[in-house]
Amino acid sequence: RVKSPSPWLLEVNLSPSLGADTPLDLKVKSCLLADLLTLVALAPHDRAAARAKERTLRAAAIERLSRGEPTHRRHKGASDAGRGRTPLRCALRTLDAEARRAGGFRRLFPLAGGGEYLLLFAQHRPLNAALVRELDARCARAAQAEDEAEEEAADAEDAAGGAQGR
């Protein structure tokens, strides 16, 4: 279901006021900030845990140095491609994670049915086109699964009705 492109007005404010002068201000701005921090997956920093991890890594590096090894190990097969992580798969994982944390935000691009927006970019970006194709394919698979479920429910209903009529 491709919609015709509709214009959006986006306000970009270099120094937004986060002061809350009214109850409505407080509600809107606190929800906005909560959604924003959730969307970026900002986790609280645990200073003690970070220091403990740093001490452990430093001790391991010193141990390797004492054995004449380099301080930083290279992991075999640690590249993204070696683990089946193509740029498209990484981008899809990021989109899925952001969608789960979106709160009151709605992604404008890339999205299923967003192919017409590709023409609005000054430079063609293959990953954007691939994301739109994959999101379109996901949408088509979901619609097909929904249709199949409806058909199965109708068949089950027909079978139940036929069994009662006997």
Side-chain angles (χ1 to χ4, degrees):
R1 300 172 194 157
V2 177
K3 297 179 185 177
S4 63
S6 50
W8 286 75
L9 173 63
L10 301 177
E11 179 182 349
V12 178
N13 191 335
L14 294 177
S15 57
S17 166
L18 295 178
D21 300 330
T22 67
L24 179 61
D25 258 0
L26 181 62
K27 181 176 182 177
V28 169
K29 291 173 182 178
S30 61
C31 288
L32 172 75
L33 284 174
D35 284 349
L36 177 66
L37 295 175
T38 300
L39 180 65
V40 298
L42 189 64
H45 179 69
D46 184 344
R47 192 173 282 170
R51 284 184 181 146
K53 182 178 180 180
E54 188 178 323
R55 280 192 299 271
T56 302
L57 291 173
R58 202 175 290 147
I62 291 170
E63 176 65 28
R64 284 193 296 278
L65 274 175
S66 70
R67 292 191 308 256
E69 299 174 4
T71 57
H72 292 83
R73 291 187 183 198
R74 290 190 174 247
H75 300 288
K76 294 179 183 175
S79 72
D80 283 345
R83 292 182 285 190
R85 292 186 185 156
T86 63
L88 176 60
R89 290 181 80 154
C90 289
L92 285 168
R93 282 226 285 277
T94 299
L95 287 179
D96 291 341
E98 287 174 353
R100 287 190 298 273
R101 299 187 307 262
F105 290 105
R106 195 170 92 187
R107 183 176 50 237
L108 300 178
F109 186 84
L111 67 153
E116 66 269 12
Y117 295 116
L118 291 169
L119 302 173
L120 301 175
F121 288 92
Q123 183 176 353
H124 174 69
R125 301 202 185 274
L127 186 56
N128 281 346
L131 285 169
V132 168
R133 282 192 306 273
E134 179 59 32
L135 294 171
D136 284 342
R138 283 183 179 183
C139 204
R141 287 191 298 268
Q144 182 180 2
E146 189 176 308
D147 290 345
E148 289 171 0
E150 287 176 6
E151 286 177 20
E152 287 177 16
D155 289 346
E157 193 174 297
D158 289 346
Q164 287 179 353
R166 291 183 194 168

